[in-house]
Amino acid sequence: MEYVLTANSLYKDYGKFRALAGLSIKVPKGAIYGLVGKNGAGKTTLIRIICGLQNPTLGDYTLYGVEHRSSKISKARRRMGAVVETPSVYLDMSASENLKQQYRVLGLPSFDGIDEILKLVGLEGTGRKKAKNFSLGMRQRLGIAIALCGSPDFLVLDEPVNGLDPQGIVEIRELILKLNREKNITVLISSHILDELSKLATHYGFIDGGKTVKEISAEELEAACRKCMRIEVTDTPALARVLDKMNAEYKILSETEADVYAKINITALTNALSAENCELISAAEKDESLESYYISLIGK
Ligand code: ATP
């Protein structure tokens, strides 16, 4: 497997405070890697380190296989774009002026590609409108557009949907998926919103207290999480008798509700229940599994 980023037992001390305590992750090429951890877990610290904004106290990391102490690391870092904390946007400039400014910073020879980037992030129609008059979601997309200058193939986004409204969240999600699928950009996203990450991530790194608690692919996670069906009936003792006969695992929640941890045929269940004079009121697949997996890893 080819890795865009590997972090090997990274430590970061701020005076006496240890923000990273031996954190290791591996981000495979082509992944959307969700870095999950509650506030203060060390996500931003890791991102600042890999962006070269801070040095680790101990440990090392590689970008495209280049060791961070190597003289070639700046070249490897040019393949990476990042939005760390709040996007660095010039508020008195329009979207295209912001991108031109970034092209100048990167020393790019022409402004070719700016229109394409603006289109990609959905800001092509903003003309002379200044960034200070943009919505938060538009500013976030402009931040991503700036990070895309120089055609990186690795994009690092620190809490990209923080503070956005539901529409803004959907726009950022679709943009990330498009960049990953159509432009083959590997993405590292930090977030504490698991539910949102689960709509995107192909891999997860769960971190807590500056350490990696678990790294897992979305596929492995799916297999590790039990799918569950919440069933509502008129009589759960009757439901229990039927499920026992079907050898299905279940948990009775109340006189009318139960969770069933098995794939069951609804027609067969309805027929069996009606023989017990019990009606099936509703059945819905429930996906609290990711949340409970996370809680079982991190606690609380
Ligand atoms: P959040 O989602 O709140 O940003 P995070 O997982 O990104 O959380 P970090 O910002 O990496 O967490 O911070 C990890 C810990 O390091 C926190 O306890 C934070 O207070 C501390 N910390 C971060 N930067 C500094 C600093 N410059 N000096 C001292 N402590 C710091």
Side-chain angles (χ1 to χ4, degrees):
M1 173 103 59
E2 196 180 334
Y3 295 104
V4 170
L5 167 73
T6 66
N8 314 305
S9 203
L10 284 180
Y11 285 80
K12 179 69 188 173
D13 293 339
Y14 293 112
K16 284 189 180 153
F17 182 77
R18 179 153 282 179
L20 297 188
L23 189 142
S24 301
I25 61 166
K26 283 190 163 107
V27 179
K29 190 169 187 297
I32 298 182
Y33 188 105
L35 190 64
V36 193
K38 52 194 179 197
N39 290 341
K43 306 179 293 295
T44 306
T45 303
L46 171 73
I47 289 176
R48 292 178 67 82
I49 288 176
I50 59 171
C51 289
L53 301 169
Q54 286 177 345
N55 280 318
T57 307
L58 258 181
D60 53 76
Y61 65 93
T62 66
L63 273 176
Y64 296 97
V66 178
E67 217 273 329
H68 85 273
R69 291 181 190 85
S70 154
S71 57
K72 294 192 184 118
I73 193 71
S74 334
K75 197 167 167 223
R77 208 173 269 124
R78 260 180 252 142
R79 294 177 63 180
M80 172 177 161
V83 184
V84 187
E85 289 152 314
T86 44
S88 339
V89 163
Y90 292 102
L91 294 174
D92 271 321
M93 289 185 184
S94 69
S96 84
E97 283 164 352
N98 263 284
L99 296 199
K100 282 183 184 161
Q101 184 55 26
Q102 184 63 7
Y103 266 52
R104 286 187 200 105
V105 169
L106 294 174
L108 298 173
S110 78
F111 292 140
D112 287 354
I114 288 187
D115 290 346
E116 195 200 334
I117 298 176
L118 287 175
K119 196 155 176 253
L120 198 59
V121 301
L123 290 177
E124 72 276 26
T126 53
R128 291 153 69 95
K129 188 171 183 164
K130 290 183 175 167
K132 65 180 171 200
N133 299 319
F134 283 9
S135 70
L136 217 56
M138 287 164 81
R139 274 189 218 172
Q140 188 62 268
R141 281 184 282 134
L142 179 55
I144 295 177
I146 293 170
L148 290 172
C149 294
S151 309
D153 46 17
F154 181 33
L155 189 62
V156 177
L157 304 173
D158 188 18
E159 304 270 5
V161 299
N162 242 6
L164 299 189
D165 60 16
Q167 173 69 21
I169 293 177
V170 172
E171 284 165 1
I172 294 289
R173 184 200 309 154
E174 285 175 357
L175 173 59
I176 294 171
L177 285 170
K178 184 155 82 170
L179 293 172
N180 178 254
R181 289 176 187 165
E182 292 174 21
K183 302 283 169 189
N184 297 320
I185 295 179
T186 305
V187 189
L188 171 70
I189 315 173
S190 81
S191 183
H192 57 270
I193 311 172
L194 243 191
D195 184 47
E196 181 50 37
L197 266 186
S198 69
K199 297 185 176 110
L200 294 170
T202 58
H203 295 76
Y204 296 89
F206 293 95
I207 69 168
D208 193 37
K211 277 196 266 238
T212 317
V213 182
K214 180 90 179 168
E215 263 195 313
I216 191 165
S217 72
E219 266 174 27
E220 289 166 330
L221 184 60
E222 177 120 343
C225 294
R226 295 202 299 178
K227 285 263 177 241
C228 162
M229 184 90 94
R230 172 73 48 96
I231 291 191
E232 196 185 349
V233 290
T234 48
D235 175 13
T236 41
L239 174 67
R241 287 193 292 279
V242 167
L243 291 172
D244 282 339
K245 276 187 212 152
M246 290 178 160
N247 273 330
E249 201 184 325
Y250 62 88
K251 187 168 155 201
I252 301 291
L253 304 172
S254 69
E255 283 177 11
T256 55
E257 279 190 320
D259 279 345
V260 180
Y261 301 97
K263 206 174 162 65
I264 43 173
N265 180 316
I266 296 292
T267 312
L269 179 69
T270 317
N271 291 342
L273 285 174
S274 92
E276 296 269 351
N277 287 324
C278 171
E279 274 178 51
L280 176 68
I281 298 167
S282 68
E285 198 161 275
K286 209 165 120 254
D287 210 4
E288 60 152 30
S289 40
L290 184 58
E291 199 81 27
S292 27
Y293 181 84
Y294 176 65
I295 290 167
S296 70
L297 277 180
I298 312 270
K300 282 198 271 220

